[in-house]
Amino acid sequence: MQQLNVIGLDQHHAEQLAGKLNALLANYQIFYMNVRGFHWNIKGQEFFELHAKFEETYNDLLLKVDEIAERILTLGQRPLHAYSTYITSSEIQEIKDVHDGKACVREILDSYRVTIRLQRELLELAGEAGDEGTSALMSDYIKEQEKTAWMLTSYLGA
């Protein structure tokens, strides 16, 4: 017999979703700190433009970190909350000592590739589980980040 959690989802599906969401959370935390570092350390002719853009980006990432953690809690599970766990669980790697604008933008674009892929996987899993809340969240993130990825690619002249 199927055991349902407090929001009416199969407990097994909720645990699977939370596991994937925790992996996404870890990637977002590393992504956030990388962009924060880019914001602090950017140099060169594009400083003012990129400094502001990186701040906008890390503020958005921080909002998503909170939303993902709260979604995990809504599913009745626990979000990862130790940075050491994020480091070992994230596909996105820490980036150190990068201050060239184009290099920073390339790193951000690569990180969006990872998050978009993970979010698509979550979207599929959420659909199979009948989890509209996670589906809607992932769909919103994907739509926004696909546009951002296009803009970053255009910025790089690719």
Side-chain angles (χ1 to χ4, degrees):
M1 184 172 172
Q2 183 178 21
Q3 183 180 3
L4 301 181
N5 68 6
V6 70
I7 60 171
L9 293 177
D10 174 74
Q11 185 62 31
H12 176 71
H13 284 135
E15 290 169 5
Q16 283 183 311
L17 285 160
K20 285 271 201 189
L21 284 164
N22 265 317
L24 183 63
L25 178 64
N27 279 277
Y28 266 105
Q29 287 284 38
I30 303 303
F31 190 3
Y32 166 80
M33 283 308 301
N34 285 343
V35 177
R36 193 82 195 223
F38 300 157
H39 169 78
W40 290 331
N41 294 298
I42 186 74
K43 295 182 182 195
Q45 292 181 330
E46 299 164 327
F47 170 83
F48 291 105
E49 173 188 1
L50 291 177
H51 184 75
K53 184 62 177 173
F54 295 160
E55 182 174 8
E56 174 188 316
T57 301
Y58 75 66
N59 283 332
D60 178 65
L61 294 170
L62 187 58
L63 175 66
K64 285 177 174 54
V65 162
D66 193 54
E67 290 174 341
I68 293 165
E70 288 177 353
R71 187 65 197 164
I72 294 166
L73 289 164
T74 301
L75 291 168
Q77 305 300 308
R78 293 189 60 211
L80 299 175
H81 60 277
Y83 207 76
S84 57
T85 307
Y86 298 144
I87 290 289
T88 60
S89 301
S90 177
E91 291 180 46
I92 297 171
Q93 300 296 305
E94 282 184 309
I95 306 300
K96 299 176 184 177
D97 302 320
V98 176
H99 55 81
D100 172 72
K102 289 197 184 246
C104 293
V105 170
R106 279 191 291 277
E107 292 294 342
I108 291 170
L109 185 57
D110 287 344
S111 294
Y112 277 127
R113 286 185 184 114
V114 171
T115 60
I116 290 168
R117 180 181 47 76
L118 292 173
Q119 289 159 177
R120 284 192 178 117
E121 292 171 9
L122 267 157
L123 185 62
E124 183 177 335
L125 186 60
E128 293 168 4
D131 179 3
E132 181 59 32
T134 301
S135 291
L137 194 63
M138 294 303 105
S139 181
D140 288 348
Y141 288 2
I142 291 166
K143 178 182 174 187
E144 174 189 320
Q145 291 170 6
E146 285 177 340
K147 183 175 181 180
T148 301
W150 157 67
M151 289 178 169
L152 292 173
T153 301
S154 293
Y155 176 85
L156 293 172

